[in-house]
Amino acid sequence: MLVRRLLAPLGGVAAAIALYPGTWGLDAIAREGQLGPGFWPRLAITGLALACVGKMLEDWQRLRRAALGAPDARPPLARGKLVAGIAFIVGYVLLAPVLGFALVSALFIAAFLILGGMRSVPAIATNVVVGVVALLYLFVKLVYLPLPKGDGPFEAVTLALYRALHLY
């Protein structure tokens, strides 16, 4: 049973190890003093490996506790929330080109906070504003990543926001 529980996370670690060297050649086109295009794939691959190691440790501890007779304290899987979360992610991808990164990110963050059980409007608004502004500065100013600005009036709103934040 232990081997079956650890097989998927081990596969994730193996995939990360196999994929990592493929990112080395991406930095050949990087400008001096800037993050190269290989940085983000390496960050994602490292995150995959760390998440898989964390999952292995969690499963190992759970199996160890079960062997000692301790009950499993995990809550049941909320399938409705899982489906809603997946729908939010798909909606984010589909709406980003139309609404622009800033607006769709604000909606996405608010939706996930509400889905997760947060009900305080000031807390949700604060998280949305701080999250979107931080992401915009990170991607536009630091990484120079071209983000979707939206179509029609949404592009104008995005550009006005960029000017207000001194991103442009």
Side-chain angles (χ1 to χ4, degrees):
M1 172 131 175
L2 177 62
V3 173
R4 279 188 45 212
R5 297 285 272 169
L6 300 179
L7 198 55
L10 277 173
V13 171
I17 291 169
L19 291 171
Y20 198 86
T23 65
W24 293 335
L26 296 174
D27 289 328
I29 60 171
R31 287 187 240 153
E32 187 69 33
Q34 289 185 355
L35 296 174
F39 174 78
W40 298 108
R42 277 194 295 277
L43 185 65
I45 290 168
T46 302
L48 167 70
L50 291 174
C52 288
V53 168
K55 182 66 176 156
M56 282 190 299
L57 292 173
E58 175 189 5
D59 286 344
W60 177 72
Q61 284 182 334
R62 183 173 290 120
L63 290 169
R64 201 180 71 174
R65 281 192 298 260
L68 297 174
D72 191 3
R74 285 188 297 183
L77 179 64
R79 295 195 188 280
K81 285 187 176 186
L82 176 63
V83 170
I86 293 169
F88 292 163
I89 293 168
V90 170
Y92 184 93
V93 171
L94 295 175
L95 291 174
V98 178
L99 300 179
F101 177 83
L103 180 58
V104 79
S105 293
L107 294 171
F108 183 78
I109 292 169
F112 253 96
L113 291 174
I114 292 167
L115 181 67
M118 186 177 282
R119 297 293 177 251
S120 168
V121 174
I124 292 170
T126 301
N127 278 284
V128 166
V129 169
V130 170
V132 169
V133 169
L135 288 171
L136 286 173
Y137 272 101
L138 172 71
F139 291 130
V140 175
K141 278 291 209 191
L142 183 65
V143 184
Y144 303 108
L145 186 68
L147 299 173
K149 293 176 185 63
D151 290 335
F154 299 113
E155 182 177 20
V157 169
T158 298
L159 292 176
L161 178 62
Y162 280 19
R163 285 186 197 100
L165 294 173
H166 301 288
L167 295 171
Y168 271 2

